[in-house]
Amino acid sequence: LFVAWHLVMVPEVFDDYLIIAPPLAPPFVDSAFGRATKQTQRRGFERPTQLYLAHAENDLDYVLTSVRSWASGWQELEDANLSFHFEVIQGHRHDAGAIPALINGYELLYGR
């Protein structure tokens, strides 16, 4: 959630974002987060930015619903400076999916 917040609130802080199973539903985020997401998507990115987003196949219901919805906004975005990758970690729950997602995200963002 911390990384997702930085992406939409202060996207100039980092170039690469690795976000795993963020709880993007109330009470964890409010309407200001939704507005900031839309503003960031409209504004785009001034420099090359990589975003890896993942959740486990058998994740918590509110994570599944909110992450899929949030991901669709990034997937539809046409921004030459954004490289977006969304992944579902098959066969895992919320807690067990974090490690494979972290490894996959690091490999995607920084190579092997």
Side-chain angles (χ1 to χ4, degrees), residues 12-106:
E12 65 278 358
V13 172
F14 301 107
D15 293 331
D16 302 322
Y17 295 86
L18 196 151
I19 304 173
I20 302 170
L24 300 174
F28 303 102
V29 297
D30 58 12
S31 59
F33 178 83
R35 286 191 303 275
T37 296
K38 295 211 181 300
Q39 287 173 346
T40 300
Q41 290 169 337
R42 275 193 302 275
R43 182 177 59 243
F45 294 89
E46 294 179 11
R47 60 183 194 248
T49 302
Q50 297 184 93
L51 170 55
Y52 172 86
L53 174 63
H55 68 75
E57 176 184 24
N58 302 306
D59 218 312
L60 304 167
D61 286 340
Y62 63 85
V63 169
L64 293 173
T65 304
S66 63
V67 169
R68 288 178 183 156
S69 173
W70 199 66
S72 70
W74 298 108
Q75 287 170 324
E76 295 168 5
L77 187 64
E78 293 184 22
D79 184 337
N81 281 330
L82 178 64
S83 173
F84 175 71
H85 183 81
F86 177 58
E87 182 174 24
V88 177
I89 305 300
Q90 299 297 316
H92 288 284
R93 299 180 324 270
H94 179 74
D95 53 349
I99 298 302
L102 184 63
I103 292 168
N104 293 350
Y106 274 126

